[in-house]
Amino acid sequence: MTETPLDPAARSRLTRRNILKASGAAAAAIGAAGLPVLSTSAPAIGDRGLHADELIPAKRRGIILYSVRDRISAAPDDSGIPYGFERVLARVAELGYKEVEFAGYTQHTSILGRQITPAEIRKILDDNGLVANGTHTSINPTTFTEQLDISETLGMKHIGTGSDPTNSAYTADWDAAADVWNELGRQAKRRGMKLYTHNHDAAYGFLLDEGPLDANGKPTRSSGMRKLEYFFGKADPKYVFFELDIYWAYVARFKHQKFIDKRGVERTDLFDPILNVASRGDRFPLFHAKDGNRNSALSNGYEMVPLGEGDINFQQFFETIGDADYRHANWEQDNAPGGTANPGQSLDFAAISYQNMSELTIYKRGH
């Protein structure tokens, strides 16, 4: 099964005002798995049995600071655009965000005449009513204690990375990664934190785990098992957790559809980001709410845009996976910075994305 690009008319209908609708194919797959299927129409006006709830509670709306990294790292200037942790975090809070995920702990040294400390960053968070819900840092045994110390200072309940546990296509390397992550996850739990890994599309590519061996004795074909799904079974659910990047999951749906089985036959398997999460309960405490417009002319099949301006159905996604009070949704847009031509763009996109995130609504009966 392959997906065709949306024509302009279809894309215009996939706005944040009309994202309640789900494709028939997706609804069928969700229903077959025993999960709730969204209505394809808005509730009737005047239906007094319904009330609206926030689909992503205000306290769970976050931002990864990588999206505004240009302003965190900017030197002081007279543009009026916030720079550095103190000013950028104040602006983030003003926009409505309650949580932040870190992507580094440094700013321009000219702001303080030295580098800022984690304790100073924590005070800025506290002063603005912000909570650090996680971080993208290096996860390895050599520096893990130091990273735990920083995360503890910042008040985090999760510690993670923006990289996959391994880039390998072979089970032996994922087995070895699981051994490391299980041990580090134990250490994190002792400090009151959950260790998590964040996916890109390659993590949902297919393993090479069957068929003829190559010159190095490694398999050349696939059982159809996806890399990260194999890791789910090897990583201990008590110690290792996951942050789904929703955008990259949909890129994986576009890119990683075919594999060659042990008999040399091409097979098709369409990845479903929603079922990937919904079938695994609390293993996904964090998400990157990153949007994109479908464009099959691009190698990834999507181009990043502010949240709510793309084709990804966040309404369907978050309503179906449920557990709103457990999930942390962090807005991210890798290409948000506008450079010297538009230095305020990343914070402008942060404002747009927060507004659209806040407007996601679920209708329920009763009180």
Side-chain angles (χ1 to χ4, degrees), residues 163-181:
S163 303
D164 296 319
T166 174
N167 294 320
S168 174
Y170 304 109
T171 57
D173 296 317
W174 285 91
D175 291 343
D179 289 342
V180 172
W181 277 69

Side-chain angles (χ1 to χ4, degrees), residues 79-152:
S79 67
I81 303 169
Y83 59 84
F85 278 111
E86 184 174 11
R87 292 165 178 80
V88 172
L89 289 177
R91 177 58 176 156
V92 162
E94 183 181 35
L95 293 175
Y97 291 100
K98 297 299 184 184
E99 299 190 332
V100 298
E101 184 180 26
F102 282 85
Y105 310 114
T106 61
Q107 63 181 15
H108 204 283
T109 55
S110 65
I111 297 174
L112 297 176
R114 56 172 174 80
Q115 194 49 258
I116 195 170
T117 68
E120 289 169 329
I121 298 174
R122 174 61 185 271
K123 185 177 186 306
I124 296 169
L125 290 172
D126 293 345
D127 288 348
N128 287 282
L130 294 169
V131 174
N133 65 22
T135 183
H136 281 195
T137 188
S138 176
I139 300 298
N140 64 74
T142 304
T143 61
F144 195 58
T145 297
E146 176 187 359
Q147 293 303 320
L148 286 171
D149 290 343
I150 294 172
S151 296
E152 189 171 43

Side-chain angles (χ1 to χ4, degrees), residues 286-345:
L286 298 128
F287 295 85
H288 274 188
K290 183 191 301 179
D291 208 348
N293 272 326
R294 241 190 291 172
N295 184 343
S296 59
L298 300 176
S299 61
N300 285 334
Y302 287 84
E303 54 188 335
M304 294 180 196
V305 296
L307 179 65
E309 296 193 351
D311 296 335
I312 295 175
N313 193 330
F314 289 97
Q315 178 77 34
Q316 181 188 26
F317 185 92
F318 281 107
E319 186 168 344
T320 305
I321 65 170
D323 293 330
D325 285 328
Y326 176 71
R327 319 282 190 184
H328 302 259
N330 293 319
W331 169 67
E332 184 183 39
Q333 187 177 339
D334 300 11
N335 61 356
T340 56
N342 189 0
Q345 178 175 280

Side-chain angles (χ1 to χ4, degrees), residues 3-26:
E3 293 186 341
T4 55
L6 296 180
D7 59 41
R11 177 168 292 143
S12 70
R13 295 193 294 273
L14 287 168
T15 65
R16 61 186 173 87
R17 300 293 184 184
N18 196 29
I19 56 178
L20 194 61
K21 296 186 178 180
S23 73

